[in-house]
Amino acid sequence: EAQLVESGGALVQPGGSLRLSCAVSGFTFGRFDMSWGRQSPGKGLEWVSSIDNVGGRTAYADSVQGRFTISRDNTKNTLYLQLNNLNTEDTAMYYCAKGWSPVYSTLRGQGTQVTVSS
C-alpha cells in the first residue's frame, strides 16, 4: 500500500526554521515528481513547492520563494522541505503529495502542523 508520512512540524517563533520530512513507501519513489502543499484553517489546500523525480527541477510559490527549499533523497525514499525565516502566515498543516501538484494529487500524507507564533 502506498503511503506518505510527514514529520518535523512544530511550534516555532517568527524568523525561525524547520525541516519537514516525508517518508515514502509502497511505490517507486524515484520515478515520480513530488510536492508540498499547505492548508490553513478555513482555507483550501495551497501549493507550496514541487520537485521532479531526480531533483533537477524545482518550483516554488511566490509566497515562499527564497525562504523554503525542497529536496529529496531517492536512496532514502524521503522528501524534504526546509523552511527558513518563518512568519505567522506560514502557519498551516503541511502535506506532501505524489506528483507535481498537491491539489490534484491522488495520494497525500496525513500532514504535519507548523505553527509560527511568538
Side-chain angles (χ1 to χ4, degrees):
E1 178 183 1
Q3 192 174 17
L4 308 175
V5 180
E6 301 95 334
S7 61
L11 171 63
V12 62
Q13 292 186 340
S17 297
L18 285 173
R19 188 171 87 152
L20 307 183
S21 298
C22 173
V24 172
S25 61
F27 64 94
T28 307
F29 180 61
R31 294 181 60 185
F32 292 90
D33 301 340
M34 297 292 294
S35 54
W36 288 94
R38 66 185 182 185
Q39 187 168 22
S40 304
K43 296 184 178 181
L45 183 65
E46 172 192 18
W47 170 69
V48 173
S49 183
S50 302
I51 188 168
D52 71 4
N53 67 311
V54 295
R57 181 168 65 106
T58 59
Y60 299 91
D62 289 344
S63 59
V64 308
Q65 179 77 47
R67 300 187 298 121
F68 291 9
T69 303
I70 191 170
S71 62
R72 64 192 295 161
D73 186 337
N74 286 354
T75 67
K76 296 181 178 179
N77 286 354
T78 304
L79 177 72
Y80 302 100
L81 187 68
Q82 177 69 40
L83 290 66
N84 295 330
N85 194 20
L86 286 160
N87 59 59
T88 56
E89 294 182 351
D90 296 317
T91 294
M93 185 72 78
Y94 284 71
Y95 299 89
C96 65
K98 181 183 178 183
W100 191 261
S101 169
V103 175
Y104 298 106
S105 176
T106 58
L107 180 65
R108 289 194 293 265
Q110 84 290 346
T112 187
Q113 178 68 39
V114 172
T115 302
V116 184
S117 175
S118 56

